[in-house]
Amino acid sequence: MLAIIGGDPKRFRPYVDLFHRAFAQLGKPVQPLGVHSPGYVADSDEQAREELWPDYKQMRDRIGAERGWPAMGRQEFAREADGGALFVGSPETVARKIAATATALRISRFDMKYSAGHLSHAKLMRSIELYGSKVIPLVREMLASPS
């Protein structure tokens, strides 16, 4: 598993290529590879971002302080949601981002870390529901059909 918590997931492609080369050099079949990244699914992109932002910022700032990172601003949050490692939005948006990441990194598994800070249980349960009932089927459909 590649734990991708910041930046464009595609920047991990050199690690994936190395992984594949190592198996080829050993004459072994390539083992499955996956990505683990934070995310949150709601009925719309706007709702997902508005609900996630305050709790994600609080969690990210706490972890960042331990690691010497500056506080997260709203623009950084938007960059991570738009093209970074934060899989946040409507089911369609999150599915498109997962499918793009799966294709770019040749992964066979994606794990979404859905808890972030103090999001309410009801919001987390709704996110899990949407992930299972909408996102996963959409990703499977997107990956099954040629682009």
Side-chain angles (χ1 to χ4, degrees):
M1 294 299 287
L2 295 168
I4 304 177
I5 62 170
D8 185 346
K10 292 176 194 75
R11 70 189 170 92
F12 282 77
R13 182 60 189 253
Y15 296 109
V16 172
D17 292 342
L18 177 62
F19 181 79
H20 284 263
R21 280 196 314 273
F23 277 94
Q25 288 173 0
L26 293 170
K28 304 275 185 184
V30 176
Q31 295 296 303
L33 184 63
V35 166
H36 177 81
S37 289
Y40 180 70
V41 186
D43 292 307
S44 70
D45 291 346
E46 182 179 293
Q47 178 187 358
R49 288 178 185 221
E50 290 306 311
E51 289 179 356
L52 182 62
W53 161 245
D55 294 314
Y56 187 81
K57 176 183 173 36
Q58 181 182 29
M59 178 204 54
R60 168 50 176 70
D61 288 352
R62 181 183 50 78
I63 293 169
E66 296 168 359
R67 298 176 183 183
W69 302 341
M72 176 177 249
R74 190 67 188 242
Q75 287 182 329
E76 182 183 356
F77 177 79
R79 271 194 313 275
E80 287 296 326
D82 291 338
L86 187 55
F87 290 74
V88 59
S90 69
E92 296 79 12
T93 296
V94 173
R96 279 193 303 275
K97 194 167 183 179
I98 291 170
T101 299
T103 301
L105 299 182
R106 299 185 283 171
I107 62 169
S108 59
R109 179 182 189 137
F110 180 86
D111 291 335
M112 186 176 78
K113 181 190 180 298
Y114 61 86
S115 64
H118 298 287
L119 274 166
S120 73
H121 181 73
K123 288 177 183 174
L124 291 176
M125 293 304 292
R126 178 67 177 151
S127 181
I128 293 167
E129 175 189 352
L130 290 170
Y131 185 73
S133 67
K134 306 272 185 184
V135 175
I136 292 171
L138 284 169
V139 170
R140 287 182 176 146
E141 182 180 310
M142 289 171 187
L143 293 176
S145 63
S147 301

